[in-house]
Amino acid sequence: MSMPATELAAYNFAYLDEQTKRMIRRAILKAIAIPGYQVPFASREMPMPYGWGTGGVQVTAAILGPQDVLKVIDQGADDTTNAVSIRAFFQKVANVAVTTHTGEATVIQTRHRIPEDTLREGQVLVYQVPIPEPLRFLEPRETETRKMHALEEYGLMHVKLYEDIARHGRIATTYAYPVKVAGRYVMDPSPTPKFDNPKMHRSEALQLFGAGREKRIYAVPPFTDVVSLDFEDHPFEVQSFDKPCALCGARHVYLDEVVLDDRGGRMFVCSDTDYCETRRADGHVGEMLGQSQEAAE
Amino acid sequence: MSANPLLKVSDLSKFYGSRIGCSAVSFDLWPGEVLAVVGESGSGKTTLLNCLSTRLMPSTGCVQYHMRDGEYRDLYRMSEAERRFLMRTDWGFVHQNPADGLRMTVSAGANVGERLMAVGDRHYGRIRQTATEWLERVEISQDRIDDQPRAFSGGMRQRLQIARNLVTSPRLVFMDEPTGGLDVSVQARLLDLVRGLVNDLGLSAIVVTHDLAVARLLSHRMMVMKDGHVIEQGLTDRVLDDPREPYTQLLVSSILQV
C-alpha cells in the first residue's frame, strides 16, 4: 500500500491499522448479508469527538482505496465544518482524490442527507449514525430490543406512529423515520429527513451505516426494498415545500430555511449545495438569486 | 363449558437453590373458570403465577396449554417466539403495580392499541375505535384517550391495564393482586368490573391474592398455599365456609368481621 506524504509515515493508509480495517470489513460484510441488522463492531477511538461522525469515518476508512474519489456532506452541504474537516482528514491520511460533485464520487460520506442526484451502481453512501436503534426511545433495554428484532416484534414502532397521529393529527415524525428493510428488519435510517426515505428504496448504490459511540454497523445492499412504516389510513408521505429553491428554482428537492434578517425575512434554498450549484451553472435562476448576489457585493 | 381443560398443570416445582418457591403443584383449569390462589406473604403464590405464565422457568413439572387449534402444547417446550406471541394474544397479565404493565409515557389509547398493532393491525381509525370502546368498557371516559397513564389515578391505571390486556380477547388472564394498593371503594368497583368482564367474555383467570374477600367475589375455585405447598383446594364457597386444614381455618377466622 502506497504511503502518503513522508511526514505522515506514522499513519497507515486511511488512518486505521490493517487489522482494524479487517475487523470493520468483516462487520460490513455481515451487515450486507443481513440487510438492516445491526452488527456490533469494536469501534475505535478516532481523532474527533463522538457525535462528529466517528462511525461513518471508520466505515469510510475501512472501504477507502487509493483509487477512490471521496465526497463528504453535512446536512447536504459540502462546505460546513463537519464535511470540511472529514474531507481534509482523508486527504491527509489517505491522500485520496476528493470532489464535491455527487456524480464523480465513488464514496460519499454523509451526515443526515442523501444527495438529490440519483446514486448509481458502484457508488457507496456512508451514513454517520448517532443512535442506530429505532426502538430505543420506546424500549430502553438493549436486551429487550435485540429480542424484539430477533423475533420480529415491531408493534411498538407503530405505537410511536400512533402517538404522533393522536397528538398532532398526522405522523409528525419528520426525520429518522423508521423503515423496514427487505421485509425483515426495522431500521433507523439515521436522522435523514423522511424526504430522503424513498431514495433508499431499491437504490443502486450500496448504503452503509456506522455508529461509532454505539458500536454498530448496518447496511442496505443495492436494489433492496426499503419501506417506510405507516398506517393504512395515514400513509407515509414526504415533506413538500410551497416555493421552489430561491437560488436555483428547483422543485421537489429538500429545502433549508435561511433567516435573512430580524424582521421575519427568510429564504428557502436547496440543502444539497452541489445540486444547487450545478443547476445554477446550467443557467437555472431562482427568484432571489440576483438579490443575494447584490447583497454579497 | 368445553370438555377439555384449558390448562393442565402437573407436578410443578420451583426451587431457589435449596429454598422452595413452590412444590409439586398440580391442577386443571377449565375454560371460563376463575381460580384464586391465596396464602400468606411468601407462600409461593407469585412464584407459581410466574411459572404458569412462563415469566419464570420452573425447576420441574410441566404445564399443558390447550391452544386455539385444539392441540395441547407444553409451555416450557415452546420456542420463545411462540411463547411471547401467546402472551400478547391469547393471554393477559395484570400486574399488581399498573406501572409494570403499562407504558407510562404513551397515551391511554396507544396502551390499549399496542397489542392490536403487535398482531398486525395497521389501520389507525380502527385501532382508535377499538381503544375507545375498551376505555368505555372499563369506565374511563373517552376524552382521556390521549392522556398518559401517569395523569391517571391508581384505580384508573389498573382499569386501563385490564383493558390493555383484554383487547385481543385472550382466553386466559393472570392477575397478581389486582386490587393491591387500591382503597376499598375503588377495590369494590374494580372487582365488580372484573367480575362482569370475566362473565361476559367467558375468560379463564388465575388470580393471586392474599385477600380472601377478593377470592370470594371473583373465583369459582381456590387453592390455599403455605410454604410453597398447596395445602387445600376446592370450590371457593366450600373452602371459605368449611375449611378443612388447620391453617385454612386460621386464615379464614383471621378475617376481621365488621
Side-chain angles (χ1 to χ4, degrees), chain A residues 109-242:
Chain A
Q109 183 172 333
T110 172
R111 173 171 175 271
H112 310 354
R113 262 326 295 287
I114 298 174
E116 302 291 354
D117 284 329
T118 309
L119 300 178
R120 53 181 164 66
E121 201 169 336
Q123 289 184 308
V124 184
L125 190 59
V126 179
Y127 296 75
Q128 302 170 195
V129 182
I131 294 165
E133 180 51 71
L135 301 161
R136 177 61 68 236
F137 290 106
L138 297 147
E139 176 53 70
R141 288 167 295 178
E142 173 71 14
T143 47
E144 187 66 16
T145 53
R146 278 201 212 186
K147 201 168 275 176
M148 289 159 80
H149 280 295
L151 302 178
E152 226 181 324
E153 288 180 7
Y154 290 130
L156 200 53
M157 212 66 250
H158 274 87
V159 171
K160 179 178 150 53
L161 301 179
Y162 173 96
E163 278 294 278
D164 263 6
I165 302 173
R167 277 190 210 163
H168 307 287
R170 65 197 160 81
I171 298 178
T173 304
T174 53
Y175 65 97
Y177 193 102
V179 292
K180 194 166 218 179
V181 181
R184 176 60 179 84
Y185 282 95
V186 165
M187 180 187 94
D188 182 349
S190 87
T192 52
K194 68 177 171 184
F195 183 87
D196 287 340
N197 277 15
K199 293 182 196 161
M200 308 178 80
H201 180 60
R202 302 198 70 78
S203 167
E204 285 184 28
L206 169 65
Q207 304 173 72
L208 301 174
F209 299 77
R213 175 173 38 206
E214 301 286 322
K215 301 179 168 53
R216 293 288 185 278
I217 286 173
Y218 51 105
V220 177
F223 304 104
T224 304
D225 286 341
V226 178
V227 180
S228 305
L229 302 181
D230 58 5
F231 285 103
E232 287 161 18
D233 47 346
H234 286 264
F236 171 78
E237 51 191 25
V238 298
Q239 293 102 323
S240 60
F241 298 88
D242 302 335

Side-chain angles (χ1 to χ4, degrees), chain A:
Chain A
M1 206 149 280
S2 68
M3 281 287 165
T6 44
E7 68 267 25
L8 288 169
Y11 288 115
N12 188 28
F13 175 78
Y15 189 75
L16 294 174
D17 61 273
E18 290 303 314
Q19 284 305 312
T20 301
K21 287 189 195 171
R22 201 176 132 108
M23 172 272 292
I24 295 174
R25 285 172 194 152
R26 288 174 73 120
I28 292 173
L29 286 175
K30 183 167 177 184
I32 293 170
I34 318 172
Y37 172 71
Q38 300 166 43
V39 183
F41 79 112
S43 176
R44 299 288 193 251
E45 293 270 342
M46 295 302 282
M48 59 175 73
Y50 285 128
W52 282 54
T54 51
V57 163
Q58 288 178 76
V59 171
T60 304
I63 60 169
L64 210 57
Q67 310 307 322
D68 274 314
V69 183
L70 179 69
K71 170 182 163 81
V72 185
I73 51 174
D74 171 5
Q75 308 271 14
D78 294 278
D79 52 5
T80 47
T81 317
N82 196 264
V84 170
S85 351
I86 292 174
R87 190 161 55 228
F89 175 74
F90 279 114
Q91 269 181 302
K92 203 173 197 176
V93 299
N95 203 19
V96 289
V98 296
T99 180
T100 57
H101 297 303
T102 306
E104 291 169 10
T106 54
V107 177
I108 304 172
Q109 183 172 333
T110 172
R111 173 171 175 271
H112 310 354
R113 262 326 295 287
I114 298 174
E116 302 291 354
D117 284 329
T118 309
L119 300 178
R120 53 181 164 66
E121 201 169 336
Q123 289 184 308
V124 184
L125 190 59
V126 179
Y127 296 75
Q128 302 170 195
V129 182
I131 294 165
E133 180 51 71
L135 301 161
R136 177 61 68 236
F137 290 106
L138 297 147
E139 176 53 70
R141 288 167 295 178
E142 173 71 14
T143 47
E144 187 66 16
T145 53
R146 278 201 212 186
K147 201 168 275 176
M148 289 159 80
H149 280 295
L151 302 178
E152 226 181 324
E153 288 180 7
Y154 290 130
L156 200 53
M157 212 66 250
H158 274 87
V159 171
K160 179 178 150 53
L161 301 179
Y162 173 96
E163 278 294 278
D164 263 6
I165 302 173
R167 277 190 210 163
H168 307 287
R170 65 197 160 81
I171 298 178
T173 304
T174 53
Y175 65 97
Y177 193 102
V179 292
K180 194 166 218 179
V181 181
R184 176 60 179 84
Y185 282 95
V186 165
M187 180 187 94
D188 182 349
S190 87
T192 52
K194 68 177 171 184
F195 183 87
D196 287 340
N197 277 15
K199 293 182 196 161
M200 308 178 80
H201 180 60
R202 302 198 70 78
S203 167
E204 285 184 28
L206 169 65
Q207 304 173 72
L208 301 174
F209 299 77
R213 175 173 38 206
E214 301 286 322
K215 301 179 168 53
R216 293 288 185 278
I217 286 173
Y218 51 105
V220 177
F223 304 104
T224 304
D225 286 341
V226 178
V227 180
S228 305
L229 302 181
D230 58 5
F231 285 103
E232 287 161 18
D233 47 346
H234 286 264
F236 171 78
E237 51 191 25
V238 298
Q239 293 102 323
S240 60
F241 298 88
D242 302 335
K243 287 186 183 175
C245 168
L247 294 181
C248 74
R251 291 175 187 276
H252 311 298
V253 293
Y254 192 74
L255 303 179
D256 278 341
E257 183 181 10
V258 180
V259 175
L260 297 174
D261 50 38
D262 57 359
R263 295 183 300 278
R266 61 200 56 213
M267 67 195 283
F268 287 89
V269 295
C270 289
S271 123
D272 187 338
T273 53
D274 171 55
Y275 183 76
C276 198
E277 279 162 17
T278 312
R279 273 179 63 87
R280 271 181 280 158
D282 291 348
H284 295 276
V285 178
E287 57 172 9
M288 290 179 84
L289 185 61
Q291 297 173 27
S292 65
Q293 270 169 349
E294 281 162 27
E297 286 159 9

Side-chain angles (χ1 to χ4, degrees), chain B residues 34-92:
Chain B
V34 180
L35 174 73
V37 182
V38 301
E40 61 187 17
S41 172
S43 59
K45 308 186 295 280
T46 301
T47 298
L48 175 64
L49 193 74
N50 285 339
C51 286
L52 292 174
S53 59
T54 68
R55 291 153 55 83
L56 205 62
M57 281 292 136
S59 310
T60 61
C62 89
V63 177
Q64 305 263 351
Y65 181 69
H66 194 229
M67 308 287 284
R68 280 184 198 251
D69 60 10
E71 296 284 307
Y72 277 99
R73 295 285 305 276
D74 186 343
L75 292 181
Y76 308 118
R77 287 173 189 274
M78 281 182 177
S79 72
E80 191 173 14
E82 287 175 296
R83 265 206 307 269
R84 285 172 68 113
F85 184 74
L86 202 63
M87 283 186 90
R88 62 171 192 262
T89 54
D90 225 15
W91 290 3

